[in-house]
Amino acid sequence: MVDLTKEMADLMSALGRPQGAQGRTLMFVSAYDGEGVSTVAREYARCEAAFSKRPVWLVDADVRRQGQLDTILTEEARFGPPGPVSRATPDGSVFFTLTPKSRSEQAQSDAHLLIARPFLDKRLWVTRLRDDKIEQGQRVKLIAETPYWQVLKQHAQTVIIDVAAFERADHAVHLAAQVDGIVMVVAEGQGDINSRVALKTALEQAGGRILGLVYNRARATIGSPRRPLRKAPHA
């Protein structure tokens, strides 16, 4: 267990609260795997939910490595007991699609693959992609433009998006213009400064707004030094 309550309280203070009736979307991203993005996003969601008047959503947008909900389920002392499984979309829209589409006569829309469970007395909602329902040969692909984020933040104070590291997929670049702000996470002793600059530049060129940077002093367990990122990989 990693407790970042103080650090996340400082980040909340720096970012401020959403203004107006509509909530906001914040994306957390790093250049490399193992820099603690999922931990930071999860801790930020927990801290903001503790003080929010409206629900906070933690959306696990790392479509190939779903782990947020499973991790939270093991930390009941901090997140409380989970509520029942629910739909994770207010209007049926989602931020991904399956390719190729199912040929089954009983095929359902992509929305049925995205579920959510509430924690902290329904102040925090955490999503999960039901990858067990994906057919063999199908691939999950993020949608470049979708109403999902705009619709969801009408029902939330903040929508926190945990996205794959830039070295593994360029999902963050695809989502950059669709979110209200981006927080970069940098781990101590991992990678090189040029890769972080490359990520920041790619996000800004895609229309993203960098709101801040979290310096994670917890060292990741990685077997070999990280190489500079030469270009954004494709999903």
Side-chain angles (χ1 to χ4, degrees):
M1 180 196 76
V2 177
D3 189 348
L4 300 176
T5 301
K6 181 182 182 304
E7 291 83 356
M8 295 303 100
D10 291 341
L11 180 60
M12 285 173 54
S13 177
L15 295 178
R17 298 291 180 91
Q19 302 298 317
Q22 185 170 264
R24 64 179 173 184
T25 49
L26 296 177
M27 181 171 67
F28 286 70
V29 64
S30 65
Y32 297 102
D33 275 325
E35 297 203 76
V37 167
S38 292
T39 299
V40 171
R42 183 167 60 249
E43 284 295 293
Y44 184 86
R46 180 181 66 85
C47 289
E48 182 158 345
F51 298 98
S52 66
K53 295 182 179 180
R54 302 177 67 197
V56 171
W57 278 73
L58 175 56
V59 178
D60 196 341
D62 188 344
V63 294
R64 296 181 183 175
R65 297 182 183 176
Q66 294 282 290
Q68 287 288 14
L69 180 57
D70 294 341
T71 298
I72 290 174
L73 287 171
T74 68
E75 298 187 9
E76 187 169 326
R78 304 177 72 236
F79 289 89
V85 175
S86 304
R87 281 166 44 102
T89 171
D91 66 343
S93 65
V94 287
F95 58 90
F96 60 86
T97 187
L98 290 181
T99 56
K101 294 297 185 182
S102 174
R103 297 181 179 180
S104 170
E105 294 182 358
Q106 290 77 36
Q108 303 182 55
S109 68
D110 294 334
H112 85 284
L113 295 173
L114 192 64
I115 61 169
R117 298 191 73 171
F119 297 85
L120 300 175
D121 295 326
K122 295 185 178 181
R123 296 194 303 275
L124 174 63
W125 291 76
V126 184
T127 73
R128 194 186 198 289
L129 178 67
R130 298 188 64 184
D131 43 15
D132 60 306
K133 299 296 184 180
I134 299 175
E135 299 176 6
Q136 185 175 4
Q138 286 187 313
R139 179 184 177 191
V140 182
K141 182 179 180 182
L142 265 63
I143 300 174
E145 295 183 9
T146 172
Y148 181 75
W149 307 114
Q150 292 295 324
V151 172
L152 188 58
K153 70 180 185 180
Q154 293 175 13
H155 301 267
Q157 174 168 296
T158 301
V159 179
I160 298 159
I161 306 167
D162 176 15
V163 72
F166 190 52
E167 71 169 341
R168 183 158 46 87
D170 54 4
H171 295 162
V173 176
H174 289 310
L175 294 177
Q178 301 181 56
V179 300
D180 297 314
I182 301 168
V183 177
M184 291 180 56
V185 178
V186 175
E188 180 183 32
Q190 301 299 327
D192 71 309
I193 187 63
N194 291 332
S195 295
R196 279 56 185 261
V197 172
L199 171 57
K200 179 177 182 294
T201 299
L203 293 170
E204 291 177 335
Q205 289 180 343
R209 180 185 176 206
I210 309 294
L211 297 183
L213 181 146
V214 174
Y215 183 65
N216 184 9
R217 292 181 175 84
R219 292 181 179 273
T221 303
I222 299 174
S224 58
R226 292 306 178 93
R227 297 178 179 178
L229 300 181
R230 299 186 182 280
K231 62 179 180 178
H234 295 287

